[in-house]
PDB file of all heavy atoms in Angstrom:
ATOM      1  N   THR A 167     -22.644   2.238 -35.653  1.00 95.00           N
ATOM      2  CA  THR A 167     -21.923   3.435 -36.085  1.00 95.00           C
ATOM      3  C   THR A 167     -20.446   3.335 -35.710  1.00 95.00           C
ATOM      4  O   THR A 167     -19.568   3.693 -36.499  1.00 95.00           O
ATOM      5  CB  THR A 167     -22.536   4.691 -35.438  1.00 95.00           C
ATOM      6  OG1 THR A 167     -23.912   4.792 -35.817  1.00 95.00           O
ATOM      7  CG2 THR A 167     -21.803   5.953 -35.869  1.00 95.00           C
ATOM      8  N   VAL A 168     -20.181   2.843 -34.510  1.00 96.00           N
ATOM      9  CA  VAL A 168     -18.799   2.667 -34.063  1.00 96.00           C
ATOM     10  C   VAL A 168     -18.080   1.663 -34.966  1.00 96.00           C
ATOM     11  O   VAL A 168     -16.947   1.905 -35.412  1.00 96.00           O
ATOM     12  CB  VAL A 168     -18.754   2.191 -32.596  1.00 96.00           C
ATOM     13  CG1 VAL A 168     -17.309   1.907 -32.177  1.00 96.00           C
ATOM     14  CG2 VAL A 168     -19.379   3.226 -31.679  1.00 96.00           C
ATOM     15  N   GLU A 169     -18.727   0.549 -35.250  1.00 96.00           N
ATOM     16  CA  GLU A 169     -18.123  -0.472 -36.108  1.00 96.00           C
ATOM     17  C   GLU A 169     -17.744   0.101 -37.465  1.00 96.00           C
ATOM     18  O   GLU A 169     -16.630  -0.137 -37.967  1.00 96.00           O
ATOM     19  CB  GLU A 169     -19.097  -1.635 -36.305  1.00 96.00           C
ATOM     20  CG  GLU A 169     -19.180  -2.589 -35.148  1.00 96.00           C
ATOM     21  CD  GLU A 169     -20.085  -3.763 -35.478  1.00 96.00           C
ATOM     22  OE1 GLU A 169     -20.488  -3.911 -36.659  1.00 96.00           O
ATOM     23  OE2 GLU A 169     -20.394  -4.539 -34.565  1.00 96.00           O
ATOM     24  N   ALA A 170     -18.671   0.839 -38.063  1.00 95.00           N
ATOM     25  CA  ALA A 170     -18.417   1.392 -39.399  1.00 95.00           C
ATOM     26  C   ALA A 170     -17.211   2.316 -39.393  1.00 95.00           C
ATOM     27  O   ALA A 170     -16.366   2.275 -40.306  1.00 95.00           O
ATOM     28  CB  ALA A 170     -19.658   2.127 -39.899  1.00 95.00           C
ATOM     29  N   GLU A 171     -17.089   3.144 -38.368  1.00 94.00           N
ATOM     30  CA  GLU A 171     -15.959   4.070 -38.290  1.00 94.00           C
ATOM     31  C   GLU A 171     -14.657   3.314 -38.033  1.00 94.00           C
ATOM     32  O   GLU A 171     -13.614   3.634 -38.608  1.00 94.00           O
ATOM     33  CB  GLU A 171     -16.213   5.098 -37.185  1.00 94.00           C
ATOM     34  CG  GLU A 171     -15.128   6.149 -37.033  1.00 94.00           C
ATOM     35  CD  GLU A 171     -14.985   7.055 -38.249  1.00 94.00           C
ATOM     36  OE1 GLU A 171     -15.849   6.997 -39.162  1.00 94.00           O
ATOM     37  OE2 GLU A 171     -14.014   7.841 -38.291  1.00 94.00           O
ATOM     38  N   MET A 172     -14.710   2.302 -37.187  1.00 95.00           N
ATOM     39  CA  MET A 172     -13.516   1.516 -36.899  1.00 95.00           C
ATOM     40  C   MET A 172     -13.022   0.794 -38.154  1.00 95.00           C
ATOM     41  O   MET A 172     -11.816   0.735 -38.417  1.00 95.00           O
ATOM     42  CB  MET A 172     -13.814   0.501 -35.795  1.00 95.00           C
ATOM     43  CG  MET A 172     -14.064   1.113 -34.439  1.00 95.00           C
ATOM     44  SD  MET A 172     -12.564   1.851 -33.751  1.00 95.00           S
ATOM     45  CE  MET A 172     -13.207   2.558 -32.245  1.00 95.00           C
ATOM     46  N   LEU A 173     -13.935   0.247 -38.922  1.00 95.00           N
ATOM     47  CA  LEU A 173     -13.541  -0.459 -40.140  1.00 95.00           C
ATOM     48  C   LEU A 173     -12.964   0.498 -41.171  1.00 95.00           C
ATOM     49  O   LEU A 173     -12.038   0.151 -41.910  1.00 95.00           O
ATOM     50  CB  LEU A 173     -14.746  -1.211 -40.715  1.00 95.00           C
ATOM     51  CG  LEU A 173     -15.251  -2.378 -39.852  1.00 95.00           C
ATOM     52  CD1 LEU A 173     -16.511  -2.976 -40.457  1.00 95.00           C
ATOM     53  CD2 LEU A 173     -14.178  -3.442 -39.689  1.00 95.00           C
ATOM     54  N   ARG A 174     -13.492   1.708 -41.211  1.00 93.00           N
ATOM     55  CA  ARG A 174     -12.923   2.711 -42.123  1.00 93.00           C
ATOM     56  C   ARG A 174     -11.488   3.038 -41.728  1.00 93.00           C
ATOM     57  O   ARG A 174     -10.589   3.116 -42.587  1.00 93.00           O
ATOM     58  CB  ARG A 174     -13.774   3.982 -42.095  1.00 93.00           C
ATOM     59  CG  ARG A 174     -13.303   5.064 -43.074  1.00 93.00           C
ATOM     60  CD  ARG A 174     -14.072   6.353 -42.905  1.00 93.00           C
ATOM     61  NE  ARG A 174     -13.761   7.026 -41.657  1.00 93.00           N
ATOM     62  CZ  ARG A 174     -12.692   7.789 -41.471  1.00 93.00           C
ATOM     63  NH1 ARG A 174     -11.797   7.953 -42.453  1.00 93.00           N
ATOM     64  NH2 ARG A 174     -12.489   8.391 -40.313  1.00 93.00           N
ATOM     65  N   LEU A 175     -11.254   3.200 -40.430  1.00 93.00           N
ATOM     66  CA  LEU A 175      -9.911   3.521 -39.950  1.00 93.00           C
ATOM     67  C   LEU A 175      -8.962   2.335 -40.087  1.00 93.00           C
ATOM     68  O   LEU A 175      -7.765   2.513 -40.296  1.00 93.00           O
ATOM     69  CB  LEU A 175      -9.988   3.976 -38.492  1.00 93.00           C
ATOM     70  CG  LEU A 175     -10.733   5.303 -38.262  1.00 93.00           C
ATOM     71  CD1 LEU A 175     -11.049   5.498 -36.790  1.00 93.00           C
ATOM     72  CD2 LEU A 175      -9.928   6.472 -38.804  1.00 93.00           C
ATOM     73  N   ALA A 176      -9.511   1.121 -39.994  1.00 93.00           N
ATOM     74  CA  ALA A 176      -8.676  -0.071 -40.145  1.00 93.00           C
ATOM     75  C   ALA A 176      -8.055  -0.130 -41.530  1.00 93.00           C
ATOM     76  O   ALA A 176      -6.924  -0.612 -41.700  1.00 93.00           O
ATOM     77  CB  ALA A 176      -9.503  -1.323 -39.877  1.00 93.00           C
ATOM     78  N   ALA A 177      -8.781   0.361 -42.513  1.00 90.00           N
ATOM     79  CA  ALA A 177      -8.268   0.347 -43.883  1.00 90.00           C
ATOM     80  C   ALA A 177      -7.054   1.250 -44.043  1.00 90.00           C
ATOM     81  O   ALA A 177      -6.283   1.106 -44.992  1.00 90.00           O
ATOM     82  CB  ALA A 177      -9.370   0.778 -44.844  1.00 90.00           C
ATOM     83  N   ASN A 178      -6.875   2.171 -43.105  1.00 87.00           N
ATOM     84  CA  ASN A 178      -5.722   3.084 -43.137  1.00 87.00           C
ATOM     85  C   ASN A 178      -4.562   2.583 -42.284  1.00 87.00           C
ATOM     86  O   ASN A 178      -3.612   3.327 -42.027  1.00 87.00           O
ATOM     87  CB  ASN A 178      -6.150   4.474 -42.666  1.00 87.00           C
ATOM     88  CG  ASN A 178      -7.172   5.110 -43.584  1.00 87.00           C
ATOM     89  OD1 ASN A 178      -7.128   4.913 -44.803  1.00 87.00           O
ATOM     90  ND2 ASN A 178      -8.111   5.871 -43.026  1.00 87.00           N
ATOM     91  N   GLY A 179      -4.653   1.335 -41.824  1.00 88.00           N
ATOM     92  CA  GLY A 179      -3.549   0.745 -41.071  1.00 88.00           C
ATOM     93  C   GLY A 179      -3.505   1.096 -39.602  1.00 88.00           C
ATOM     94  O   GLY A 179      -2.452   0.957 -38.973  1.00 88.00           O
ATOM     95  N   ALA A 180      -4.615   1.534 -39.027  1.00 91.00           N
ATOM     96  CA  ALA A 180      -4.625   1.960 -37.631  1.00 91.00           C
ATOM     97  C   ALA A 180      -4.419   0.783 -36.689  1.00 91.00           C
ATOM     98  O   ALA A 180      -4.738  -0.369 -37.004  1.00 91.00           O
ATOM     99  CB  ALA A 180      -5.944   2.652 -37.304  1.00 91.00           C
ATOM    100  N   GLN A 181      -3.871   1.091 -35.504  1.00 93.00           N
ATOM    101  CA  GLN A 181      -3.849   0.167 -34.375  1.00 93.00           C
ATOM    102  C   GLN A 181      -4.975   0.559 -33.435  1.00 93.00           C
ATOM    103  O   GLN A 181      -5.322   1.745 -33.332  1.00 93.00           O
ATOM    104  CB  GLN A 181      -2.514   0.219 -33.640  1.00 93.00           C
ATOM    105  CG  GLN A 181      -1.335  -0.251 -34.467  1.00 93.00           C
ATOM    106  CD  GLN A 181      -0.085  -0.390 -33.612  1.00 93.00           C
ATOM    107  OE1 GLN A 181       0.032  -1.271 -32.777  1.00 93.00           O
ATOM    108  NE2 GLN A 181       0.854   0.510 -33.820  1.00 93.00           N
TER     109      GLN A 181
END
Side-chain angles (χ1 to χ4, degrees):
T167 301
V168 176
E169 282 184 10
E171 182 64 9
M172 292 292 176
L173 293 175
R174 183 186 70 81
L175 294 166
N178 296 325
Q181 295 189 70

